[in-house]
Amino acid sequence: MRRILFWAVILVTGAVYLTMLLWSLPAIARMADGIPPFDMRPTGYSVDEARDFLSALSTEGRAFYLDVQHWLDFAFPGLFALSLILGFLKLAPRVLALILSAVAVAAAWFDWSENAAVA
């Protein structure tokens, strides 16, 4: 049962990620005159870059971002953290698995916090 759960979570996590990568984030970039959205900036962004993106985002883009993208980006961090936690619990010694799981949960929390700030 645990193996089935692990692979189900992995598949759903991958599906959500691919949906964002191939559909929602490129659509948002198009609606912002080609400026990449926050989630496509792995090195981060400055306050000025954030303002530029938000200013360039069309009304339709803003609605899409706050509706579709925020739901996807709400699901992804939790699913990703759960994927990691299930793997850690299976592969790592108990104490290490718990420490690494706490890091995964913290990363998800920081992502959710960023999303809330952007909204």
Side-chain angles (χ1 to χ4, degrees):
M1 179 63 180
R2 189 175 257 182
R3 175 178 240 148
I4 292 171
L5 175 64
F6 173 77
W7 285 110
V9 170
I10 290 289
L11 289 172
V12 172
T13 302
V16 170
Y17 180 74
L18 286 173
T19 300
M20 289 191 302
L21 186 66
L22 300 175
W23 176 61
S24 65
L25 292 171
I28 291 166
R30 282 191 303 277
M31 292 183 259
D33 296 326
I35 299 173
F38 302 119
D39 291 321
M40 295 303 289
R41 302 174 189 220
T43 59
Y45 47 87
S46 68
V47 172
D48 289 335
E49 290 171 325
R51 285 188 183 123
D52 290 344
F53 168 72
L54 293 172
S55 295
L57 196 57
S58 68
T59 302
E60 177 188 5
R62 186 171 284 110
F64 186 84
Y65 195 95
L66 290 172
D67 184 24
V68 175
Q69 181 58 30
H70 268 231
W71 278 110
L72 290 168
D73 204 18
F74 176 77
F76 179 73
L79 288 166
F80 187 63
L82 183 57
S83 299
L84 291 173
I85 290 166
L86 291 171
F88 296 151
L89 291 173
K90 180 69 176 170
L91 299 173
R94 185 87 174 144
V95 172
L96 181 59
L98 293 175
I99 292 168
L100 293 173
S101 295
V103 171
V105 169
W109 185 84
F110 283 117
D111 197 340
W112 288 323
S113 297
E114 177 195 35
N115 295 343
V118 167

